[in-house]
Amino acid sequence: MAHGGGGRAMRALIESILLPAFDNPMLATLEDQARVSIAELAAHGDRLAFTTDTYVVTPIEFPGGDIGRLAVCGTVNDLAVCGARPLWLSCALVLEEGLEIATLSAVAQSMARTAREAGVCVVTGDTKVVERGAADRLFINTAGIGVVPAGVNIGATRAQPGDVVIVNGSLGDHGVAILLARNELALTAEVVSDCQPLYGLVAAMLEACPDLHCLRDATRGGVATVLNEFAACSRVGIRLRESSLPLNEIVRGGCEILGLDPLYLANEGKLVAIVPAAAARVTLAAMRSHPAGREAAIIGEVCAGPPGIVTLSTIIGGDRVVDMLSGEQLPRIC
Amino acid sequence: MRYADEFRDPAMARTLVGEIQRLAGPLARERARPLQVMEVCGGHTHTIFRYGLKAMLPEESIEFVHGPGCPVCVLPMGRVDDCVALAHDSRIIFATFGDAMRVPGSRGSLLQAKARGADVRMVYSPLDALQLARANPQREVVFFALGFETTMPSTALTVLQARREGIDNFSLFCNHITIIPTIKAILDSPELKLDGFLGPGHVSMVIGNRPYDFIARHYRRPIVVAGFEPLDVLQSLWMVIKQLAEGRCEVENQYKRIVPEDGNAQALAAVSEVFELREFFEWRGLGSIDHSGVRMRREFAPYDAERKFVLPNLTIADPKSCQCGEVLKGVIKPQQCKVFGTACTPERPLGALMVSSEGACAAYYQFGRIDMKQQRQASPLEA
């Protein structure tokens, strides 16, 4: 437990693993806080965006990522979907006693790589060690600060009848990748988590369509949950077409076998956008020319009613309601 | 996706719906009410809602009645209480399928028991539970065995495997039930208006088609053993209505690609080696039905949790406000129940039909609360 005491052992851990990984002057001072220039913030826009999230995924490594990559992408994406340019992250680690140093080091490296990819710096942090059994290997909390450019006004209340619903690619890859990585199902298949930072894609979308109405990343609860929130907040109906949903064939097969609905599966690099019909074509084209949006697709549209209800035209020609999920489909996926 | 997409073809679905409409219209007018067809199996209920089949069919001439074939839904409260008591025994690891975890007993569900510290593990097959027993020789592993004839063979084979390996810390809490006495109880109900049945495909894969003969012969109702893809359900419905239109009452098999005429002899042999009929079994909503459940034979006593452990074994009445029984018999629709969507929701299920995604009430709540036909007319979706 010496690492948790806040003394020399902890200092050594931070200096040997965390500082070199995140390597930046703001962190290197090892003060109790990061200090950022207000002028630098103001240069990017006129509003601050601030968010936090805690990552408890199991297993901590999975095809397509690990808890470190997830902890950066998740928070950066929560900033990006209001149009904010993500700038700074905090990183708080809760380590279970006995966690291998090599694992910690790999996770820190992964966070650092993903932060560089996303254009953000980890500028402050905290590390705690708890006794065995009080945590499951490693939990991470990250908070993020970003700046929203003047004129961008994305919000869940802005969906209007006639708008179209767009996603940036195949649904449910992360949820199925985690499920298979747990190895409880004796199923093996090549599914890779979609875990990726999305600010670059959002910037391209905003350039094509500055008046983007709604935008959210479809993490826990999937696309269905996000759209139910949009429909409820905007007091509109939303109609989806099952035949338009982009799905990886293996995910589709997995859902068939396991009785899961891909609309509710978690994603970590997928967003749902609602854009005015007039801007649909240009937005879709902009998305498809960005690496994070190659398989972007229009999956439905906003209608007047019934308000708050999301429906799906099924592949066979029927209709059904796509409700909020009751309970969780799977625990600890992010 | 091969072997799935072929059974979801919209053009073929339209053709079938057209044929169903053509045949069912005159029959419904003759009766001055829609034809009532019961899908016995919860898997069919799920397909009907998942693919929105109800909205494709003319409601003035066809009405689905959602039958008792969701094993989680018909589990009485007293049995759930027994599960919870077993799970709280510190010697025991209680292994269960996931969808049984939320079923409410009188003292909460298994999920709540787990939150209070009981060792409840979710498994995907009885063999997973046997593996838990191998890996934890110091603990007793009790597997919550439930389901119709579909799941009985895999449970029976797991017990035989445990005996072969000499694993003595594994037992079943047996809640397997049989479909035939239950269909008979429904047919004997004085309120009955049913015109025909979609037979349970997966049960029939084990027991074959012959056990349904009495439905056609004695009760003069058509029954078609049906598959679970949307075209399977539509085609089977068409076959039922065609029988009605031609004045026939027969057992027909739409699901020939899976269901052999005589069932699966090996599976049946394993089942009868391990299990025997109980005198009666309590069903949630339907009450006690003679010979509708099985227990383990005496020679398997070491694997029988009911013999190995002391259980509360109380009969607990369903909540008074709950109308699951009337819904199960097709007397009322889920949304006509007094507590539907108010005191009873998927988050806080009062009645069992709200628990599993195969339960009629949960399906109505999740997929069917609004009239899809009206909505379709109000805002046509461009193709």
Side-chain angles (χ1 to χ4, degrees):
Chain A
M1 276 306 275
H3 283 124
R8 226 173 256 141
M10 175 60 79
R11 178 94 186 189
L13 186 77
I14 293 172
E15 284 184 357
S16 65
I17 295 180
L18 301 176
L19 287 187
F22 297 136
D23 183 35
N24 67 72
M26 248 194 269
L27 189 65
T29 62
L30 286 187
E31 293 284 2
D32 283 352
Q33 69 295 116
R35 299 164 204 186
V36 302
S37 137
I38 291 174
E40 192 182 340
L41 289 173
H44 290 292
D46 62 356
R47 281 153 298 161
L48 201 65
F50 180 35
T51 188
T52 182
D53 210 336
T54 302
Y55 301 86
V56 298
V57 66
T58 178
I60 61 177
E61 286 170 324
F62 47 83
D66 57 30
I67 192 170
R69 181 167 175 81
L70 199 62
V72 172
C73 291
T75 297
V76 159
N77 292 348
D78 280 347
L79 293 172
V81 291
C82 74
R85 176 193 199 90
L87 295 171
W88 296 296
L89 291 187
S90 72
C91 165
L93 302 171
V94 177
L95 313 179
E96 185 190 19
E97 187 184 21
L99 177 79
E100 313 74 25
I101 296 288
T103 307
L104 177 63
S105 179
V107 168
Q109 296 291 344
S110 166
M111 283 189 83
R113 253 194 323 273
T114 313
R116 278 194 295 277
E117 184 183 335
V120 292
C121 287
V122 177
V123 293
T124 185
D126 176 53
T127 307
K128 296 280 191 317
V129 180
V130 297
E131 66 270 30
R132 204 178 268 270
D136 186 1
R137 301 185 73 196
L138 167 62
F139 295 157
I140 304 178
N141 172 277
T142 53
I145 289 179
V147 177
V148 189
V152 171
N153 186 18
I154 297 168
T157 58
R158 296 194 58 216
Q160 288 169 19
D163 288 356
V164 300
V165 183
I166 307 181
V167 293
N168 65 316
S170 59
L171 308 181
D173 298 0
H174 178 73
V176 171
I178 294 292
L179 193 61
L180 294 181
R182 284 185 194 162
N183 228 353
E184 289 165 357
L185 299 174
L187 290 175
T188 45
E190 297 285 316
V191 182
V192 174
S193 166
D194 56 353
C195 185
Q196 61 180 341
L198 291 171
Y199 175 68
L201 176 69
V202 174
M205 291 167 73
L206 280 170
E207 200 171 311
C209 172
D211 187 30
L212 226 155
H213 285 169
C214 313
L215 191 62
R216 257 184 208 175
D217 54 338
T219 52
R220 256 187 326 176
V223 169
T225 303
V226 170
L227 288 174
N228 269 284
E229 287 161 1
F230 289 163
C233 294
S234 298
R235 303 187 163 283
V236 292
I238 293 176
R239 310 208 55 193
L240 303 177
R241 273 183 306 267
E242 191 173 19
S243 58
S244 305
L245 301 176
L247 289 175
N248 167 341
E249 272 300 290
I250 299 175
V251 169
R252 239 185 110 198
C255 285
E256 287 291 329
I257 291 173
L258 301 171
L260 299 172
D261 187 337
L263 281 169
Y264 295 95
L265 283 178
N267 310 275
E268 286 295 340
K270 293 293 147 51
L271 49 76
V272 188
I274 294 194
V275 302
R281 275 220 343 253
V282 286
T283 310
L284 193 64
M287 291 172 81
R288 285 185 174 162
S289 55
H290 189 279
R294 286 229 170 87
E295 294 169 50
I298 295 178
I299 61 167
E301 49 265 312
V302 178
C303 49
I309 302 279
V310 181
T311 59
L312 178 79
S313 298
T314 65
I315 211 142
I316 192 119
D319 287 294
R320 71 167 159 99
V321 174
V322 178
D323 202 359
M324 292 286 255
L325 199 58
S326 315
E328 267 186 287
Q329 252 191 334
L330 307 164
R332 286 180 61 194
I333 45 173
C334 60
Chain B
M1 198 175 358
R2 284 177 69 196
Y3 311 123
D5 292 341
E6 296 88 332
F7 299 97
R8 297 171 189 177
D9 177 57
M12 210 171 286
R14 275 194 299 275
T15 311
L16 278 167
V17 167
E19 274 303 295
I20 290 168
Q21 219 155 1
R22 191 178 64 81
L23 292 175
L27 293 169
R29 278 194 290 279
E30 213 171 90
R31 289 165 168 77
R33 61 163 177 83
L35 297 177
Q36 284 197 327
V37 178
M38 172 177 279
E39 84 279 3
V40 173
C41 178
H44 290 141
T45 309
H46 188 77
T47 300
I48 288 165
F49 283 94
R50 163 78 178 75
Y51 292 96
L53 301 187
K54 200 166 147 300
M56 298 170 73
L57 294 162
E59 59 185 342
E60 62 287 354
S61 44
I62 296 285
E63 183 184 323
F64 282 115
V65 176
H66 314 296
C70 163
V72 171
C73 301
V74 295
L75 205 65
M77 291 245 240
R79 301 296 283 189
V80 179
D81 288 352
D82 289 345
C83 291
V84 169
L86 283 169
H88 274 302
D89 185 327
S90 58
R91 292 168 297 173
I92 292 175
I93 297 174
F94 194 81
T96 174
F97 294 138
D99 54 352
M101 290 192 51
R102 290 197 306 134
V103 187
S106 72
R107 279 173 292 156
S109 65
L110 282 167
L111 201 60
Q112 287 163 325
K114 184 173 156 72
R116 288 195 299 265
D119 194 350
V120 180
R121 314 270 182 102
M122 195 171 103
V123 293
Y124 293 90
S125 114
L127 285 172
D128 292 348
L130 188 59
Q131 182 53 34
L132 275 175
R134 282 190 204 102
N136 298 276
Q138 269 67 265
R139 308 276 305 276
E140 285 286 338
V141 173
V142 178
F143 175 65
F144 186 18
L146 81 172
F148 290 95
E149 286 86 343
T150 321
T151 52
M152 267 185 221
S154 60
T155 316
L157 288 166
T158 304
V159 171
L160 293 172
Q161 176 77 20
R163 189 172 67 172
R164 239 187 337 266
E165 289 182 37
I167 297 173
D168 59 4
N169 63 329
F170 175 80
S171 58
L172 297 185
F173 180 43
C174 180
N175 286 273
H176 281 301
I177 43 182
T178 60
I179 196 72
I180 297 293
T182 315
I183 296 180
K184 192 166 176 308
I186 288 170
L187 281 163
D188 283 332
S189 154
E191 302 136 318
L192 184 87
K193 289 182 290 185
L194 296 177
D195 295 287
F197 292 88
L198 301 185
H202 291 148
V203 167
S204 311
M205 165 184 83
V206 176
I207 67 171
N209 297 326
R210 299 194 199 284
Y212 306 117
D213 280 345
F214 74 98
I215 299 174
R217 219 173 288 162
H218 182 73
Y219 291 93
R220 310 294 304 152
R221 299 289 197 290
I223 173 166
V224 176
V225 172
F228 294 87
E229 289 297 328
L231 282 184
D232 287 325
V233 172
L234 287 175
Q235 187 185 24
S236 304
L237 179 64
W238 169 73
M239 287 165 76
V240 167
I241 291 165
K242 193 156 183 293
Q243 285 198 38
L244 290 170
E246 294 169 2
R248 289 182 293 129
C249 294
E250 293 166 17
V251 182
E252 290 182 301
N253 183 3
Q254 182 274 340
Y255 204 26
K256 283 194 176 132
R257 65 184 189 277
I258 298 288
V259 176
E261 198 57 28
D262 293 312
N264 181 333
Q266 266 179 305
L268 287 170
V271 166
S272 66
E273 184 176 352
V274 175
F275 300 117
E276 62 186 9
L277 279 180
R278 293 177 196 258
E279 292 295 299
F280 57 86
F281 196 75
E282 187 76 23
W283 290 58
R284 194 163 191 156
L286 294 175
S288 176
I289 301 177
D290 287 353
H291 305 299
S292 65
V294 300
R295 65 173 165 235
M296 300 183 78
R297 291 184 184 276
R298 186 167 291 279
E299 54 266 42
F300 290 93
Y303 301 97
D304 186 350
E306 285 177 88
R307 288 187 167 106
K308 212 168 170 178
F309 304 100
V310 180
L311 296 173
N313 201 10
L314 296 173
T315 304
I316 311 278
D318 292 329
K320 277 215 175 60
S321 49
C322 198
Q323 294 179 283
C324 285
E326 285 151 277
V327 175
L328 278 175
K329 282 183 267 183
V331 179
I332 62 167
K333 291 263 153 199
Q335 72 274 32
Q336 290 168 324
C337 172
K338 291 191 288 283
V339 289
F340 178 84
T342 52
C344 186
T345 62
E347 284 80 20
R348 289 175 172 276
L350 199 61
L353 291 179
M354 196 55 105
V355 176
S356 157
S357 65
E358 293 187 357
C361 294
Y364 259 75
Y365 190 88
Q366 205 180 1
F367 296 138
R369 263 174 304 160
I370 57 161
D371 188 335
M372 299 299 304
K373 273 209 193 76
Q374 274 179 12
Q375 211 225 321
R376 177 169 266 209
Q377 279 152 13
S379 75
L381 185 73
E382 53 197 274

